[in-house]
Amino acid sequence: MNSAKERLVNGIVKENPTFVLMLGMCPTLAVTTSAVNGLGMGLTTMVVLALSNVFISLLRGIIPDKVRIPAFIVIIASFVTVVELLLQGYIPFLYDALGLYIPLIVVNCIILGRAEAYAYKNPVLPSLFDGIGMGLGFSVALTCIGAVRELLGAGEIFGIHVMPESFVPVSIFVMAPGAFFVLAVLTAIQNKVKIIGEKKGRDMSKIQSGCGQDCLNCADSGCAKRLYDDKEKQAPAQKKAETTQAPAQKTTDTAQTPEQKAADTEEEKAADKQVKEEKENG
Amino acid sequence: MVKELLVILIASSLVNNVVLSQFLGLCPFLGVSKKTNTAIGMGVAVIFVITLASAVAGAIYQYILLPLDITYLQTIVFILVIAALVQFVEMFLKKFIPALYQSLGVYLPLITTNCAVLGVALTNVQKNYGILTGIVNGFATAVGFTISIVILAGIREKMRHNDIPESFQGMPIVLVTAGLMAIAFCGFSGLL
């Protein structure tokens, strides 16, 4: 039971998909107009995540390595369809509130990420708890963001009026722009925590997600980096000279040069490999 | 009919902008908006793929799923069709139109996991759009994506030399910019 508890804590605190890994940002921004919607989306995702983790873990010896991603997607899409129909039948108000974002759980990178990073390599029971832990972490995060937005935008939490009469709701927070602002502050806090941690000499390199990186830093290291790399390879040598000059200029106004960043990501990758090896050995 | 299509064109590209008001396709929006050139390339690729995908998904829905009464399979079918379609387009361009592949090829794998593509296919079904209306809606949505990603890339290029507080460097300031853009796009809501 120890490993189960460890997986739950890991999902909710250490590897919280929203606050730490920054995964699944589309639903995070779209449905957190109120705490109830956030909670509903989080729990729906949790159910899908737990079920798909169990199934993928069960089938991990059968699915050939080469077609694993399409296989994962089919499994996830099936569970999403099941959950969607259940919601439509039994919790219609939530189905109406979440709308398009329920079928879009299919493309939520948390689910595919956990399938690839955990369920495909581990036994059934830990995978189940990993799914529940991650799902709970996601629910907690969405509920918090939803509550903040609801509090500032409507003066309510879970539909109960809490702010004093004199409080004028800042309705921009329940509208689309508010989502961006709340997330901006959130990532700024995350940055701050990282900076403080690094100053104290703690290892703040984030634990890697399934696609190797989180959504928001895709350009620095995920699949989008490949794009920039390809472009630079195609570019003539003249441009390369320019790009090598540019970082030198940057050192003055940014704390972290691209070279350092590249080194960082390499370190992270090395750390990730180590973790993976340890997992395999243990 | 023409008027109806025009309304969809404006509504999907400006009023209900896919990124700024629906939050779909956020990853490429934030990830590939460092330079204007790459942003334009990504935008064109997205227009191409979404328009094609909404045509194919619409046809499959109308002629296969509806007659067989298996519309509940739409999510599974759409995601597989889109993934296969993007792969196919990549192979086709590589073999037959290398010039186009040169400019769009690198963006295609990125689009497979773009939730805007699946989002458009599902919206078309939800709103009971026919195939033609669906294609127009897909095209308009993708144009909206291109407009916003190119604007964001332009702002980010200007912003590179600004003095930004340490903890707001990188993504946070980009998100604040996106928020301000979203406020600006709210202005379009009076258009219809």
Side-chain angles (χ1 to χ4, degrees):
Chain A
M1 255 0 243
N2 239 349
S3 75
K5 202 178 150 197
E6 185 261 322
R7 287 327 298 169
L8 288 181
V9 173
N10 180 58
I12 300 171
V13 183
K14 271 200 264 170
E15 278 187 50
N16 187 299
T18 308
F19 292 144
V20 180
L21 298 183
M22 291 279 164
L23 284 174
M25 280 301 137
C26 303
T28 305
L29 291 181
V31 301
T32 51
T33 47
S34 71
V36 177
N37 284 357
L39 185 63
M41 185 69 190
L43 292 180
T44 313
T45 311
M46 185 187 85
V47 172
V48 175
L49 186 54
L51 287 172
S52 69
N53 260 7
V54 167
F55 245 75
I56 287 164
S57 178
L58 278 173
L59 294 173
R60 70 184 189 281
I62 301 168
I63 300 172
D65 213 37
K66 274 185 181 165
V67 293
R68 65 180 193 283
I69 300 289
F72 293 166
I73 289 179
V74 172
I75 292 171
I76 296 167
S78 315
F79 283 120
V80 169
T81 310
V82 170
V83 169
E84 188 186 0
L85 292 174
L86 285 175
L87 277 185
Q88 195 173 8
Y90 292 102
I91 323 178
F93 86 91
L94 198 61
Y95 178 80
D96 292 336
L98 300 181
L100 185 64
Y101 296 97
I102 302 173
L104 285 178
I105 294 175
V106 180
V107 282
N108 188 330
C109 35
I110 297 174
I111 299 179
L112 201 59
R114 289 327 285 176
E116 172 85 3
Y118 197 86
Y120 192 57
K121 296 167 193 154
N122 288 285
V124 179
L125 215 56
S127 300
L128 171 69
F129 283 105
D130 183 72
I132 295 176
M134 279 284 158
L136 279 180
F138 190 56
S139 311
V140 169
L142 288 199
T143 316
C144 288
I145 299 175
V148 169
R149 286 182 67 187
E150 203 183 349
L151 185 70
L152 293 173
E156 298 171 340
I157 289 182
F158 286 106
I160 303 159
H161 213 86
V162 287
M163 290 301 246
E165 281 296 308
S166 56
F167 174 74
V168 181
V170 193
S171 59
I172 197 97
F173 274 101
V174 285
M175 286 155 63
F180 284 110
F181 293 137
V182 171
L183 188 66
V185 173
L186 203 68
T187 39
I189 294 172
Q190 193 200 27
N191 270 355
K192 188 82 194 168
V193 169
K194 239 184 139 179
I195 292 166
I196 293 173
E198 271 163 8
K199 271 181 190 158
K200 284 183 181 165
R202 268 188 237 135
D203 179 31
M204 297 305 278
S205 60
K206 277 181 290 176
I207 302 128
Q208 304 291 295
S209 57
C211 71
Q213 260 302 321
D214 50 286
C215 290
L216 296 183
N217 294 322
C218 198
D220 294 329
S221 45
C223 32
K225 187 177 179 242
R226 222 174 47 208
L227 185 78
Y228 288 110
D229 286 352
D230 285 354
K231 284 259 151 168
E232 260 157 45
K233 267 179 215 158
Q234 286 165 11
Q238 197 189 2
K239 267 200 171 172
K240 264 187 189 164
E242 276 177 24
T243 47
T244 45
Q245 272 177 359
Q249 282 181 340
K250 265 191 175 175
T251 32
T252 47
D253 49 31
T254 55
Q256 204 180 25
T257 65
E259 284 153 3
Q260 277 175 333
K261 253 189 190 173
D264 279 0
T265 46
E266 265 177 31
E267 268 175 25
E268 276 174 17
K269 269 179 197 163
D272 187 37
K273 258 189 190 169
Q274 233 176 5
V275 171
K276 268 184 193 164
E277 276 167 15
E278 275 170 19
K279 267 184 194 165
E280 276 166 14
N281 292 336
Chain B
M1 185 66 189
V2 176
K3 196 184 160 204
E4 190 194 329
L5 291 181
L6 207 65
V7 168
I8 289 176
L9 201 65
I10 293 171
S12 299
S13 62
L14 296 176
V15 182
N16 296 320
N17 188 285
V18 63
V19 191
L20 296 172
S21 81
Q22 290 185 295
F23 307 109
L24 298 179
L26 213 59
C27 302
F29 177 69
L30 299 170
V32 199
S33 58
K34 271 188 176 168
K35 293 176 196 151
T36 330
N37 287 344
T38 27
I40 292 172
M42 185 72 190
V44 174
V46 166
I47 292 179
F48 184 69
V49 169
I50 291 192
T51 314
L52 198 63
S54 43
V56 174
I60 286 177
Y61 185 79
Q62 292 288 340
Y63 299 121
I64 299 178
L65 296 187
L66 266 185
L68 293 177
D69 203 21
I70 47 171
T71 49
Y72 56 87
L73 287 180
Q74 59 181 19
T75 314
I76 305 174
V77 172
F78 285 172
I79 184 95
L80 288 179
V81 165
I82 290 166
L85 182 75
V86 176
Q87 291 290 315
F88 178 74
V89 166
E90 196 182 348
M91 285 191 280
F92 181 85
L93 289 184
K94 205 173 188 176
K95 176 86 179 148
F96 294 105
I97 321 173
L100 197 61
Y101 179 76
Q102 278 280 309
S103 49
L104 295 188
V106 282
Y107 304 98
L108 290 171
L110 280 177
I111 300 175
T112 323
T113 49
N114 185 341
C115 45
V117 187
L118 183 64
V120 170
L122 291 169
T123 316
N124 286 345
V125 170
Q126 251 179 17
K127 293 192 176 170
N128 282 324
Y129 286 159
I131 294 178
L132 179 66
T133 338
I135 293 172
V136 171
N137 183 38
F139 175 74
T141 309
V143 168
F145 177 85
T146 311
I147 292 173
S148 44
I149 195 173
V150 171
I151 295 178
L152 182 70
I155 301 175
R156 279 183 78 172
E157 278 187 359
K158 291 269 177 213
M159 226 161 45
R160 243 199 339 235
H161 305 292
N162 287 7
D163 187 21
I164 299 159
E166 197 182 18
S167 27
F168 267 88
Q169 273 167 18
M171 265 313 135
I173 196 70
V174 178
L175 286 166
V176 171
T177 314
L180 292 175
M181 280 170 65
I183 294 182
F185 271 74
C186 278
F188 286 119
S189 57
L191 210 61
L192 290 177

